[in-house]
Amino acid sequence: MKAYEFITQARVGKTVKLALFSDVHFDSPDCDRATLKKHLDFCLKDGRYILFGGDLFDAILLKDQKRAVPHLIENTDCQLNAKLDAIYEFLKPYQSQILFLGRGNHEESIIKFNGIDVLQMLATMLNMGQEHKVLCGNYANFLRFTAKDESGKLCFYDIFQHHGAGG
């Protein structure tokens, strides 16, 4: 478990708007990308910070004979690269609003069976040449949002983020 701090420009009594997305499974044929784009566009327009709570990737690969659907997966030998590139291109316009990418069981599975951390790779790609940095977390995390009150004293709002357990 990790802890992350986000220093906000907000003052106590002012609203910091957040949007939590989880289990997006972007590269799944069942992901409704049009609706996702609509919600992300709203976040951008409304000034909401975006947090992903895990399973941004689906990453069901052809070699997973239990769950793979061959006719629905990218027709390439480097499937993870194709999935990573597609998610990056989709999220790039929202980089300035994305604060956090949490890890889910699908990202953990990619690490376990392929030795590749696609979530960290995505964060690195999103952060290239950017002042604002997207943070990449674990399966469970503490997220602290810091603001100042009228006297300049720091105040904290903590969120415990956990992707979940069980089925």
Side-chain angles (χ1 to χ4, degrees):
M1 185 172 339
K2 289 185 178 181
Y4 299 91
E5 184 172 22
F6 302 97
I7 309 295
T8 69
Q9 300 303 314
R11 295 276 180 197
V12 172
K14 300 284 185 182
T15 302
V16 174
K17 298 176 183 180
L18 304 173
L20 176 62
F21 294 84
S22 187
D23 293 279
V24 171
H25 297 271
F26 180 86
D27 51 307
S28 165
D30 296 323
C31 178
D32 183 350
R33 293 182 187 185
T35 299
L36 176 60
K37 182 180 180 336
K38 181 179 83 171
H39 290 296
L40 292 172
D41 286 343
F42 173 79
C43 292
L44 193 60
K45 180 181 174 194
D46 195 45
R48 290 180 187 261
Y49 290 110
I50 300 166
L51 307 150
F52 287 99
D55 287 353
L56 180 56
F57 287 84
D58 195 50
I60 303 299
L61 304 178
L62 285 174
K63 67 182 185 177
D64 184 344
Q65 295 179 7
K66 179 180 175 186
R67 300 181 296 166
V69 183
H71 67 283
L72 295 176
I73 296 178
E74 293 85 355
N75 187 18
T76 178
D77 288 337
C78 50
Q79 293 173 45
L80 287 178
N81 290 359
K83 294 168 187 292
L84 182 61
D85 288 344
I87 293 174
Y88 167 71
E89 288 300 326
F90 190 87
L91 292 180
K92 188 168 49 170
Y94 311 103
Q95 189 276 351
S96 64
Q97 293 307 114
I98 301 172
L99 292 181
F100 181 75
L101 303 175
R103 200 172 303 287
N105 54 301
H106 283 251
E107 289 88 10
E108 289 288 331
S109 180
I110 299 167
I111 294 171
K112 180 178 178 181
F113 294 110
N114 299 285
I116 298 169
D117 189 344
V118 290
L119 202 62
Q120 184 60 58
M121 291 170 73
L122 176 61
T124 299
M125 291 169 71
L126 287 169
N127 290 335
M128 284 191 294
Q130 302 294 325
E131 184 176 330
H132 166 75
K133 298 300 180 191
V134 176
L135 299 178
C136 184
N138 285 335
Y139 204 83
N141 307 275
F142 284 102
L143 309 176
R144 170 169 278 182
F145 292 86
T146 303
K148 292 182 180 178
D149 67 11
E150 302 77 37
S151 67
K153 179 181 173 187
L154 292 179
C155 300
F156 308 103
Y157 184 78
D158 295 331
I159 298 173
F160 176 64
Q161 177 271 322
H162 190 285
H163 181 66

